[in-house]
Amino acid sequence: MPLLEVENIDVFYGDVQAIFGLSLTIEEGQTLAVIGANGAGKSTLLKSIAGLCSPATGEIRFNGERINDVPPHRRVPLGIALTPEGRRIFPSLTLEENLLVGAHSKRSGHWNLATLYDTFPLLADRKNRLGTNASGGEQQAAAIARALMSNPRILLLDEVSLGLAPVVVEQIYSALPAIVEQGTTVLVVEQDVNQAMKVSDRVQCLLDGRTVLEGKPSELSRERIASAFFGI
Amino acid sequence: MTMSSVGSIVSSVKVRRSTTASNIALAVSIVVVIALAIGPFAFLTKGNQQNLVTLFIYIIMGTMWNLLAGYAGMVSIGQQAFIGVGAYGVVYAADQIGIGPVAAIPAALVIAGVIGYLVSFLAFRLSGGYFAIGTWVIAEVIKLVTTQIQTLGAGSGISLTAFSGYKPALRIATVYWMGLASVVIAVAVTYLLMRSRLGTGFTALRDDPTAAATLGVNVTRGKRIIWVVAAMGCGLAGALLAENTLRVQPDSVFSVQLTATMLFIVVIGGIGTIEGPILGALVYFALEHFLIDLGAWYLVILGIVAILMVLFLPQGLWGLISGRGRISLFPTGYRLMTNPATPPAVATQDNAV
Amino acid sequence: MQWANAIVQGVILGGLYALLAAGLSLMFGVMRLVNLAHGALAIVAAYMGMVLVNKTGIPPFATLLIVVPVMALVGWVLQRTLLNTALNRQALAPILVTFGLAVILQNLMLELFTADNQSIDVGSLAGASIQITPDIAVGVFPLITFVVGVFVIAALQLYLAKTTTGRAMRATSDDREAAQLMGIDHRHIYALATAIAVGLVGLAGVFLGVRTQFNPTFGDVTLIFAFEAVIIGGLGSLWGTLWGGIILGVAQVVGAQAFPSSGVLLGHIVFLLVLAFRPTGLFPKVVNG
Amino acid sequence: SGGSINNNTTPSASGGSASGAVAGTVKIGFVSPQTGPLAPFGESDTFVINYMKDYFSKNPLMIGGKSYGVDIIVKDAQSDSAKAGQAAADLINNDGVDIVMAAGTPDIVNPVADACEANNTPCITDNAPWQPYVLRGKDGIKSTFKWTYHFFWGLEDVAATFQDFWGQVPTNKKVGGLFPNDPDGQAWSGNLPTMVGANGYTINFPPLYPNGTQDFSAQISSFKQNNDEILTGVPIPPDFTTFWKQAKQQGYNPKIASVGKALLFPSSVDALGDLGNNLSTEVWWHPSWPTKSSLTGITPKQLCDQYETTTGKQWTQPIGYVEALFEVAANALTTSGSTDKANLVKTLSTLSTDTIVGHVQWSPTAGPTSPTPNVAKTPLAGGQWRLTNGGAHKYELVLTSNAVATSEGLNIPLGGKEEALP
Amino acid sequence: MTMAPLLTVSGLHKKFGSVVTANDINFEVIAGEALGIVGPNGAGKSTLLNLIGGVVPVDQGSMIFDGRDITKMASAERAKAGIGRSFQIPRPFTDMTVFENVYVGSSFAGGVRGQAGYERAYEALEVSGLLHLSEKPAGQLRLLDRKRLELARALATQPKLILLDEIAGGLTEREIPPLVETITQLRSAGVTVVWIEHIVHALVSVVDRLMCMAEGRVLAIGDPHEVLKSQEVIEVYLGKTFDMDGDV
Ligand SMILES: Nc1ncnc2c1ncn2[C@@H]1O[C@H](COP(=O)(O)OP(=O)(O)OP(=O)(O)O)[C@@H](O)[C@H]1O
Ligand SMILES: Nc1ncnc2c1ncn2[C@@H]1O[C@H](COP(=O)(O)OP(=O)(O)OP(=O)(O)O)[C@@H](O)[C@H]1O
Ligand SMILES: [Mg+2]
Ligand SMILES: [Mg+2]
């Protein structure tokens, strides 16, 4: 049984439809990269899985159970964690408190403060810094670590490298294998196609709210991706 | 440089600023104002005139609070300060300086403007919730200082005696005409202000002051203009209030209840439009008229109505009528008419140049 | 010696302001909600205490065991119904809704209890005092109020800083949606915060009812002082609120000692001076970014 | 409960004539504070107005030989002076009333009188000392009136009554004054010191404080320092409670405390707990007054009993004064013989009525009953609130001074002697 | 192109509480050039633009723009003097239409009202590729169009110097070239450009000089390729595996 199945969902913002009959499947332990142009619906997809958007039609199943009507805060205990677009670090909490809030749902597992500080040494040095004062890279690392504190079965990462210095992108991607190693399933949204191809088992490309291409990175040529990206 | 060197040359860009609805509205408004102006000779009793003055005061109050909160994003709960200043100002100018009840109204307006200007230097150090509470405290301070001034009756208040030579009919009509002129000026000034380039800047300020500043909108100056105009408007309302009731007492003219009234008017009518507060004032006036006999229950009902409006009809009654802003009797925007009929097919992707 | 007495009495008065302001500060801090019904709710609690004392004859302090939980429940319900919806509307909505609520409560009380002045009778405790020096005596009841005020602020501060729920409250106050993604039910957290805040209003209301006479419209007077305490201290900072209350109390009493006609005025002026020179209060929670 | 107000505000009693054909209707407008902070002053109005409506429906007024129904139109001033002025103007210009009446503190009475002057309509008011009523122009200059008439006692009566109390208990004659910065506080602080000075009393009063003050340490320390064995003042009830509790706590224990306004209503005194015992206050009116209504014949005792059975609340002093307004109005209308406004004010200028609160007589030149034209004086007494220890009410108002009333020809029985505070 | 400095920044300091975000910054922007700025997150790049634009007051130091000392000038005045800027996180006026948004720029800082102002706004919209959305409420725009709006508004002020903060951030590889093209054209029309971007290859294809900042200091400034080869820059910013050729 796949860990997560998205089946034929339509998602709207008011009158505007952002996703059209989209489906997606991911097996436990896999890493799936979702790519696509601006406004393709990638963030909307992740928000639907996390519960911040609710599909008008279609079904989202997690571990075989339909979760369409489960509110976002109840999806966390099930094992779904989202690192949202824009990091959304709590500015008046220290970085460590940010991580502790991540553990709010009390799921147990490999990840705790100690193991995360091992994986993200830059956080260990700055744990008492207020969220508001942390740099973009520190915030991004903290956002990922915060999501891991809930020991999710699936980690949803949105725009991991947006606005980050190349050196930070490198650091963060180098932490990814450690996460995957713990059996965590990862769904990553990435602008940088090269990065996406490097880290994932499978790639799914969206265009205007629909899937236009999917497959293993090794099987997809640059040209096919490029044309799928813009529908040409 | 000129941008024409990078874009195509545009010769005839057309922008429309009025609509059919607004032209009709303007014509109707003029007719209504003229009819109201001759009313005392024709069809308005003394009682009608007095009631209308109350309505005019409500319209001015609502318009001014909307100017502050709806257009400039300044939520003040201290506007009673200027009502009080206007009320005391009119008594001071009319009776103590002795310039008579008519000239005293513009004098009161000026006094309110000057005090508003001075106060702005303190109030503008605050924003958001701080600003709201800060203005309230400033109003309390102005009230407490006023009650220390013996020539203004200190804590007892003072009666306006400048009308003592007037026959009731003439006094009432005089106040009525002053009220009518005031309401027309208040609404017109607000509208013209919002329609001017400054108005565009104010809307920008409300949405994002930082971005507005980097586009050349002088934030503090813009806010100060609005603040002073609102202070003068509220002073005008206070002056009319004093002339309509003939007695000024500090607890009454500096009551926070006055700002509550403004708030209700704006909420009921609809915030951020010229029409909203006018409609809101009419509804509030009618509610007060029909429900006042219910005593405390009247205020309970008013409270419930206001809460329901905020929660379920945030655009107010005018929002409902205008179809969420599709109709505007007092348009302030710019409609670009030289619009390419259809966007280039792939414009969203790659026609950035 | 008069001056020393004025300072002591001012500090004690500050404790009352802090007690009144604690709930306001919490709601300000957690939900960015300016609760204009705060004063009216305090009076509701005072009436509740009075009715309990008069009808059942239980001692005034024992009424707290009923008033505080009932008010907390009221807070909970209020948040789950009106306020959560208001927070989803435009920025003005919460101010307007709580203002409307204040008007409704005030006038309902007027219908129920008339405009008569009422008080909660604590018998001989009302006039009891402790002589500190020949010239300085402190009322026992005001002292109890002060101690309770400090205790409430300290407990609330610890609760927010050290407990999981407290942390969740602060997180939710920073970013509601992100908090949801951490498994926090923001409506629950908000309702909890409001329940605590209104429960504290209940506590403050009963103390107010013992201290002086109240009537349905008495809430306005207390509201402005409580607000000043919160803002002098800095939004969202509870210790700040305590200091804010004390600074305000001392300013009023010492001010009145110097200029008896202007105690309240001088309190306001100190408040405005703080704002002029430290617009974010004396103890702001975070550097705003 | 205060009862619902709505049934009083709609015109009524117009059709209910018990004695033959009604030639017309007289409209009486009544402005009172029914909601807001001054509502205690308006609380008994509802009862009295219902009582009067009932009376007029059975007993139309005979004016100029014709029978008139009486319409009483009540407007709520919402405890706001601007609203009070508007209400009066509204009554005159929209409801077309023949005469306006108002009661309850200068905040209500003054704007109503101003509105009536400006709209040329007769106006009768009471329940506010005559000084703040008269002195309301610029710099407290005396205003002259044509259309408005007032009856009540004055500050000289309070001064005399209080001195009568004070003389009954040995003290050092030093008085501490607790005066707020409002119309009453201004009037009292401006007049009382000279009025009691002649008898050797000195009033030490700090500058007037604003209503709503939360701490009175400054005043208390001043009174203590000056060793003021007597306390007087005119604070609002919540402020007095705050003050009095703090005074006890900080060890200020005057031998006698005579306070206006704060101790007017039994509910305010009840709310002081046991600390209210033996506080003294001026008494405008009391069930033991040896008077009766010139209109209905009811005695003060009967009226108060009726109030207590109807509302379930303890009687209050405004009851008599509101009833008296109707007596005066009815007398003016019948005496003048027409509802013509000019005629009415002419009648009022010399009108004499023996009302339930005592003799009311205006005169065009200052005289013993009328210190200034348009103002008539009524008798004042003084009393102490005493714990009943298990009586029908927590406190009863016991009359301890009748000097002023006696000098004005009203012999009020005393209930006891002034007792010193513990 | 002249070599006269349009903007001279000397000895600039700025602290937020204990965080030093500008620490003795000195550099010049030459009239007509395009200067790129890179640096690790939190290096103080956006803060530097805020200081130049007047959004944040300077603690110490001075700035001369176009021969005038702008150090103490209000940001509205700087905009009128010819400094336009875009924000890293777009800040549209959500209640106004796109056209009105841009008209704010042309009528205030641009100083042309009425017809001339409309025309200026129209041109700016056309250049930025937003003309077809001109009547849309700005609040309804998607990210790419919001970024374009930032550019259009800045252009409408007719700036001498335009400060761009990560306008390509969040765009895909395919969306970047047209944007680069727009900026190149602006430059050749004589507008001086200062551009912060983490997408280094896009930046390098436009700019004449590159500045790298770290911890509130200028680490290196000069020829882009020289700067990118600097060991320090590689260490703090680029990382060892950096590959310039990043497109699809
Ligand atoms: N809050 C919103 N309200 C209205 N429309 C929205 C909202 N958020 C997104 N949209 C629209 O939904 C569509 C999909 O947006 P989404 O954010 O999911 O795209 P994305 O693939 O994540 O793009 P990006 O790369 O810019 O993050 C877009 O057309 C966008 O304009
Ligand atoms: N108002 C402020 N209060 C406190 N700290 C601030 C404030 N503004 C910026 N900072 C801090 O200053 C530092 C520099 O911020 P800045 O935004 O200039 O970085 P940047 O170089 O633009 O980074 P990025 O590439 O992530 O956008 C950061 O550590 C930031 O947290
Ligand atoms: Mg996205
Ligand atoms: Mg930046």
Side-chain angles (χ1 to χ4, degrees), chain A residues 11-14 16-19 35-47 53 85 158-159 162 189 191 206 208-209, chain E residues 139-144 170-172 175:
Chain A
V11 185
F12 293 81
Y13 290 103
V16 185
Q17 185 161 9
I19 289 191
I35 58 174
N38 238 284
K42 308 178 295 292
S43 299
T44 308
L45 171 65
L46 295 202
K47 285 200 266 179
C53 293
E85 216 172 0
D158 199 354
E159 308 267 18
L162 177 67
V189 162
Q191 299 278 4
L206 308 190
D208 290 342
Chain E
Q140 292 174 14
L141 294 187
R142 39 186 218 144
L143 180 67
L144 175 60
L171 302 192
T172 54
E175 291 156 346

Short mmCIF file of all heavy atoms in Angstrom, two decimals, chain A residues 11-14 16-19 35-47 53 85 158-159 162 189 191 206 208-209, chain E residues 139-144 170-172 175, ligand 1:
data_model
loop_
_atom_site.label_atom_id
_atom_site.label_comp_id
_atom_site.label_asym_id
_atom_site.label_seq_id
_atom_site.Cartn_x
_atom_site.Cartn_y
_atom_site.Cartn_z
N VAL A 11 -8.64 21.73 -6.72
CA VAL A 11 -8.54 22.67 -5.60
C VAL A 11 -8.79 24.08 -6.10
O VAL A 11 -8.32 24.47 -7.17
CB VAL A 11 -7.15 22.59 -4.93
CG1 VAL A 11 -7.11 23.48 -3.69
CG2 VAL A 11 -6.81 21.16 -4.56
N PHE A 12 -9.55 24.82 -5.31
CA PHE A 12 -9.91 26.19 -5.69
C PHE A 12 -9.44 27.19 -4.63
O PHE A 12 -9.40 26.87 -3.45
CB PHE A 12 -11.44 26.32 -5.78
CG PHE A 12 -12.05 25.54 -6.90
CD1 PHE A 12 -12.30 24.18 -6.77
CD2 PHE A 12 -12.38 26.16 -8.09
CE1 PHE A 12 -12.87 23.45 -7.80
CE2 PHE A 12 -12.95 25.45 -9.13
CZ PHE A 12 -13.19 24.09 -8.98
N TYR A 13 -9.11 28.40 -5.08
CA TYR A 13 -9.01 29.55 -4.19
C TYR A 13 -10.17 30.45 -4.56
O TYR A 13 -10.13 31.10 -5.61
CB TYR A 13 -7.71 30.32 -4.42
CG TYR A 13 -6.47 29.60 -3.95
CD1 TYR A 13 -5.63 28.97 -4.88
CD2 TYR A 13 -6.14 29.56 -2.61
CE1 TYR A 13 -4.48 28.33 -4.46
CE2 TYR A 13 -4.99 28.92 -2.18
CZ TYR A 13 -4.16 28.30 -3.11
OH TYR A 13 -3.03 27.68 -2.68
N GLY A 14 -11.19 30.46 -3.76
CA GLY A 14 -12.37 31.22 -4.16
C GLY A 14 -12.88 30.70 -5.49
O GLY A 14 -13.22 29.52 -5.62
N VAL A 16 -11.07 30.78 -8.25
CA VAL A 16 -9.94 30.40 -9.11
C VAL A 16 -9.56 28.96 -8.86
O VAL A 16 -9.28 28.56 -7.72
CB VAL A 16 -8.72 31.29 -8.81
CG1 VAL A 16 -7.60 31.00 -9.79
CG2 VAL A 16 -9.11 32.76 -8.86
N GLN A 17 -9.52 28.17 -9.92
CA GLN A 17 -9.09 26.78 -9.74
C GLN A 17 -7.58 26.71 -9.91
O GLN A 17 -7.02 27.21 -10.88
CB GLN A 17 -9.78 25.87 -10.75
CG GLN A 17 -9.44 24.41 -10.52
CD GLN A 17 -10.43 23.46 -11.17
OE1 GLN A 17 -11.28 23.89 -11.93
NE2 GLN A 17 -10.30 22.18 -10.87
N ALA A 18 -6.89 26.12 -8.95
CA ALA A 18 -5.43 26.03 -9.01
C ALA A 18 -4.99 24.63 -9.41
O ALA A 18 -3.93 24.45 -9.99
CB ALA A 18 -4.83 26.42 -7.67
N ILE A 19 -5.77 23.61 -9.08
CA ILE A 19 -5.39 22.23 -9.40
C ILE A 19 -6.57 21.53 -10.09
O ILE A 19 -7.71 21.66 -9.66
CB ILE A 19 -4.97 21.48 -8.12
CG1 ILE A 19 -3.63 22.03 -7.65
CG2 ILE A 19 -4.87 19.98 -8.37
CD1 ILE A 19 -2.98 21.23 -6.57
N ILE A 35 8.19 19.32 -9.63
CA ILE A 35 8.74 20.52 -10.25
C ILE A 35 7.67 21.18 -11.11
O ILE A 35 6.62 20.60 -11.34
CB ILE A 35 10.00 20.21 -11.10
CG1 ILE A 35 9.65 19.19 -12.18
CG2 ILE A 35 11.13 19.70 -10.23
CD1 ILE A 35 10.78 18.92 -13.15
N GLY A 36 7.95 22.36 -11.55
CA GLY A 36 6.99 23.05 -12.40
C GLY A 36 7.19 24.54 -12.31
O GLY A 36 7.80 25.04 -11.37
N ALA A 37 6.64 25.21 -13.31
CA ALA A 37 6.83 26.66 -13.41
C ALA A 37 6.08 27.36 -12.29
O ALA A 37 5.36 26.73 -11.52
CB ALA A 37 6.33 27.15 -14.75
N ASN A 38 6.30 28.65 -12.25
CA ASN A 38 5.59 29.47 -11.29
C ASN A 38 4.09 29.32 -11.43
O ASN A 38 3.55 29.38 -12.51
CB ASN A 38 5.92 30.92 -11.59
CG ASN A 38 6.50 31.54 -10.39
OD1 ASN A 38 5.79 31.85 -9.46
ND2 ASN A 38 7.81 31.65 -10.41
N GLY A 39 3.42 29.14 -10.29
CA GLY A 39 1.97 29.06 -10.33
C GLY A 39 1.45 27.76 -10.88
O GLY A 39 0.26 27.64 -11.16
N ALA A 40 2.31 26.75 -10.99
CA ALA A 40 1.87 25.48 -11.53
C ALA A 40 0.95 24.76 -10.54
O ALA A 40 0.20 23.86 -10.92
CB ALA A 40 3.07 24.60 -11.85
N GLY A 41 1.04 25.11 -9.28
CA GLY A 41 0.16 24.49 -8.29
C GLY A 41 0.91 23.61 -7.31
O GLY A 41 0.29 22.84 -6.58
N LYS A 42 2.21 23.76 -7.27
CA LYS A 42 3.02 22.89 -6.42
C LYS A 42 2.72 23.15 -4.94
O LYS A 42 2.44 22.22 -4.18
CB LYS A 42 4.51 23.13 -6.68
CG LYS A 42 4.88 23.04 -8.17
CD LYS A 42 6.34 23.30 -8.41
CE LYS A 42 6.81 24.72 -8.09
NZ LYS A 42 6.30 25.78 -8.96
N SER A 43 2.76 24.42 -4.56
CA SER A 43 2.50 24.74 -3.15
C SER A 43 1.08 24.35 -2.79
O SER A 43 0.81 23.87 -1.68
CB SER A 43 2.68 26.22 -2.90
OG SER A 43 3.99 26.59 -3.20
N THR A 44 0.16 24.57 -3.72
CA THR A 44 -1.23 24.22 -3.45
C THR A 44 -1.37 22.73 -3.19
O THR A 44 -2.11 22.30 -2.29
CB THR A 44 -2.10 24.65 -4.64
OG1 THR A 44 -1.83 26.02 -4.93
CG2 THR A 44 -3.57 24.49 -4.32
N LEU A 45 -0.65 21.95 -3.95
CA LEU A 45 -0.67 20.50 -3.75
C LEU A 45 -0.20 20.15 -2.34
O LEU A 45 -0.85 19.40 -1.60
CB LEU A 45 0.23 19.83 -4.80
CG LEU A 45 0.49 18.34 -4.62
CD1 LEU A 45 -0.80 17.55 -4.78
CD2 LEU A 45 1.53 17.85 -5.62
N LEU A 46 0.94 20.71 -1.94
CA LEU A 46 1.46 20.41 -0.61
C LEU A 46 0.51 20.89 0.48
O LEU A 46 0.29 20.21 1.48
CB LEU A 46 2.85 21.04 -0.40
CG LEU A 46 3.99 20.53 -1.27
CD1 LEU A 46 5.33 20.83 -0.59
CD2 LEU A 46 3.90 19.06 -1.56
N LYS A 47 -0.07 22.06 0.26
CA LYS A 47 -1.00 22.59 1.26
C LYS A 47 -2.23 21.69 1.37
O LYS A 47 -2.79 21.52 2.46
CB LYS A 47 -1.42 24.02 0.91
CG LYS A 47 -0.30 25.04 1.20
CD LYS A 47 -0.84 26.45 1.33
CE LYS A 47 -0.78 27.20 0.04
NZ LYS A 47 -1.32 28.56 0.10
N CYS A 53 -5.38 23.57 2.47
CA CYS A 53 -6.37 23.78 1.42
C CYS A 53 -7.22 22.51 1.39
O CYS A 53 -6.71 21.42 1.64
CB CYS A 53 -5.73 23.88 0.03
SG CYS A 53 -4.73 25.33 -0.20
N GLU A 85 6.35 27.15 2.34
CA GLU A 85 6.98 28.18 1.53
C GLU A 85 7.24 29.38 2.44
O GLU A 85 6.37 29.77 3.22
CB GLU A 85 5.97 28.61 0.45
CG GLU A 85 6.56 28.95 -0.85
CD GLU A 85 5.45 29.17 -1.91
OE1 GLU A 85 4.25 29.04 -1.60
OE2 GLU A 85 5.81 29.45 -3.02
N ASP A 158 8.68 22.58 0.82
CA ASP A 158 8.29 23.49 -0.27
C ASP A 158 9.40 24.51 -0.52
O ASP A 158 9.81 25.22 0.40
CB ASP A 158 6.99 24.20 0.10
CG ASP A 158 6.29 24.79 -1.12
OD1 ASP A 158 6.87 24.73 -2.22
OD2 ASP A 158 5.17 25.30 -0.97
N GLU A 159 9.87 24.56 -1.76
CA GLU A 159 10.85 25.58 -2.17
C GLU A 159 12.03 25.66 -1.21
O GLU A 159 12.32 26.71 -0.66
CB GLU A 159 10.19 26.97 -2.19
CG GLU A 159 8.93 27.04 -2.99
CD GLU A 159 9.16 27.47 -4.41
OE1 GLU A 159 10.32 27.39 -4.88
OE2 GLU A 159 8.19 27.87 -5.07
N LEU A 162 14.73 28.40 -2.10
CA LEU A 162 14.35 29.76 -2.52
C LEU A 162 15.08 30.82 -1.72
O LEU A 162 15.03 30.86 -0.50
CB LEU A 162 12.84 29.95 -2.37
CG LEU A 162 12.33 31.35 -2.71
CD1 LEU A 162 12.50 31.64 -4.19
CD2 LEU A 162 10.90 31.53 -2.31
N VAL A 189 9.45 20.05 -3.23
CA VAL A 189 9.13 20.93 -4.34
C VAL A 189 10.37 21.78 -4.58
O VAL A 189 10.93 22.34 -3.65
CB VAL A 189 7.93 21.83 -3.99
CG1 VAL A 189 7.85 23.02 -4.92
CG2 VAL A 189 6.65 21.02 -4.05
N GLN A 191 12.52 24.51 -7.39
CA GLN A 191 12.61 25.28 -8.63
C GLN A 191 13.79 24.80 -9.45
O GLN A 191 13.76 24.77 -10.67
CB GLN A 191 12.84 26.77 -8.33
CG GLN A 191 11.79 27.45 -7.54
CD GLN A 191 10.64 27.88 -8.40
OE1 GLN A 191 10.59 27.60 -9.59
NE2 GLN A 191 9.68 28.53 -7.79
N LEU A 206 4.51 19.50 -12.94
CA LEU A 206 3.15 20.06 -13.06
C LEU A 206 3.15 21.25 -14.01
O LEU A 206 4.13 21.97 -14.13
CB LEU A 206 2.65 20.55 -11.70
CG LEU A 206 2.68 19.62 -10.51
CD1 LEU A 206 1.91 20.23 -9.36
CD2 LEU A 206 2.12 18.26 -10.87
N ASP A 208 0.15 24.25 -14.92
CA ASP A 208 -1.20 24.77 -14.76
C ASP A 208 -2.12 23.82 -14.00
O ASP A 208 -3.26 23.55 -14.40
CB ASP A 208 -1.82 25.09 -16.13
CG ASP A 208 -1.14 26.29 -16.75
OD1 ASP A 208 -0.49 27.05 -15.99
OD2 ASP A 208 -1.23 26.45 -17.99
N GLY A 209 -1.61 23.25 -12.93
CA GLY A 209 -2.45 22.44 -12.06
C GLY A 209 -2.67 21.01 -12.51
O GLY A 209 -3.50 20.31 -11.95
N GLY E 139 -3.93 42.86 -5.54
CA GLY E 139 -3.95 41.78 -4.56
C GLY E 139 -4.15 40.41 -5.19
O GLY E 139 -3.84 39.39 -4.58
N GLN E 140 -4.70 40.38 -6.41
CA GLN E 140 -4.98 39.09 -7.03
C GLN E 140 -3.87 38.58 -7.92
O GLN E 140 -4.01 37.55 -8.56
CB GLN E 140 -6.27 39.19 -7.86
CG GLN E 140 -7.51 39.38 -7.00
CD GLN E 140 -8.75 39.62 -7.83
OE1 GLN E 140 -8.75 39.40 -9.03
NE2 GLN E 140 -9.81 40.08 -7.17
N LEU E 141 -2.77 39.31 -7.96
CA LEU E 141 -1.69 38.88 -8.85
C LEU E 141 -0.95 37.68 -8.27
O LEU E 141 -0.87 37.51 -7.07
CB LEU E 141 -0.68 40.01 -9.04
CG LEU E 141 -1.16 41.24 -9.79
CD1 LEU E 141 0.03 42.16 -10.03
CD2 LEU E 141 -1.81 40.86 -11.10
N ARG E 142 -0.36 36.88 -9.15
CA ARG E 142 0.47 35.80 -8.65
C ARG E 142 1.91 36.28 -8.56
O ARG E 142 2.24 37.39 -9.02
CB ARG E 142 0.35 34.57 -9.53
CG ARG E 142 0.27 34.97 -10.97
CD ARG E 142 0.01 33.85 -11.87
NE ARG E 142 0.82 34.13 -13.05
CZ ARG E 142 1.42 33.22 -13.76
NH1 ARG E 142 1.32 31.96 -13.42
NH2 ARG E 142 2.13 33.56 -14.80
N LEU E 143 2.73 35.43 -7.99
CA LEU E 143 4.08 35.86 -7.62
C LEU E 143 4.83 36.55 -8.76
O LEU E 143 5.35 37.64 -8.61
CB LEU E 143 4.87 34.66 -7.11
CG LEU E 143 6.28 35.00 -6.69
CD1 LEU E 143 6.28 35.89 -5.47
CD2 LEU E 143 7.07 33.73 -6.43
N LEU E 144 4.88 35.89 -9.92
CA LEU E 144 5.66 36.44 -11.03
C LEU E 144 5.17 37.84 -11.38
O LEU E 144 5.96 38.76 -11.58
CB LEU E 144 5.56 35.50 -12.24
CG LEU E 144 6.23 35.99 -13.51
CD1 LEU E 144 7.73 36.21 -13.31
CD2 LEU E 144 6.01 34.97 -14.64
N GLY E 170 12.53 32.82 -6.86
CA GLY E 170 11.26 32.13 -7.01
C GLY E 170 10.82 31.97 -8.46
O GLY E 170 9.83 31.34 -8.74
N LEU E 171 11.58 32.54 -9.36
CA LEU E 171 11.24 32.33 -10.78
C LEU E 171 11.97 31.09 -11.28
O LEU E 171 13.01 30.69 -10.76
CB LEU E 171 11.66 33.54 -11.62
CG LEU E 171 11.06 34.88 -11.23
CD1 LEU E 171 11.32 35.91 -12.32
CD2 LEU E 171 9.57 34.75 -10.98
N THR E 172 11.40 30.48 -12.30
CA THR E 172 12.06 29.29 -12.84
C THR E 172 13.09 29.72 -13.87
O THR E 172 13.09 30.86 -14.35
CB THR E 172 11.04 28.38 -13.52
OG1 THR E 172 10.34 29.16 -14.46
CG2 THR E 172 10.09 27.81 -12.50
N GLU E 175 11.86 31.52 -16.78
CA GLU E 175 11.29 32.85 -16.63
C GLU E 175 12.36 33.92 -16.43
O GLU E 175 12.08 35.10 -16.52
CB GLU E 175 10.34 32.87 -15.42
CG GLU E 175 9.09 32.07 -15.66
CD GLU E 175 8.45 31.59 -14.36
OE1 GLU E 175 9.09 31.65 -13.29
OE2 GLU E 175 7.31 31.15 -14.42
N1 LIG F 1 -4.09 32.46 -1.67
C1 LIG F 1 -4.38 32.40 -2.98
N2 LIG F 1 -5.48 33.01 -3.47
C2 LIG F 1 -5.79 32.96 -4.77
N3 LIG F 1 -5.08 32.30 -5.68
C3 LIG F 1 -3.98 31.66 -5.27
C4 LIG F 1 -3.58 31.68 -3.90
N4 LIG F 1 -2.43 30.98 -3.78
C5 LIG F 1 -2.15 30.52 -5.02
N5 LIG F 1 -3.07 30.94 -5.92
C6 LIG F 1 -3.09 30.62 -7.33
O1 LIG F 1 -3.10 29.23 -7.48
C7 LIG F 1 -2.22 28.83 -8.53
C8 LIG F 1 -1.21 27.83 -8.01
O2 LIG F 1 -0.40 28.45 -7.02
P1 LIG F 1 0.75 27.73 -6.20
O3 LIG F 1 1.22 28.65 -5.17
O4 LIG F 1 0.27 26.40 -5.78
O5 LIG F 1 1.85 27.52 -7.32
P2 LIG F 1 3.34 27.06 -7.17
O6 LIG F 1 3.51 26.03 -8.17
O7 LIG F 1 3.68 26.76 -5.78
O8 LIG F 1 4.09 28.36 -7.65
P3 LIG F 1 5.40 29.08 -7.06
O9 LIG F 1 6.53 28.48 -7.79
O10 LIG F 1 5.21 30.49 -7.42
O11 LIG F 1 5.43 28.86 -5.61
C9 LIG F 1 -1.60 30.11 -9.06
O12 LIG F 1 -2.28 30.47 -10.22
C10 LIG F 1 -1.83 31.13 -8.00
O13 LIG F 1 -2.02 32.41 -8.55
#
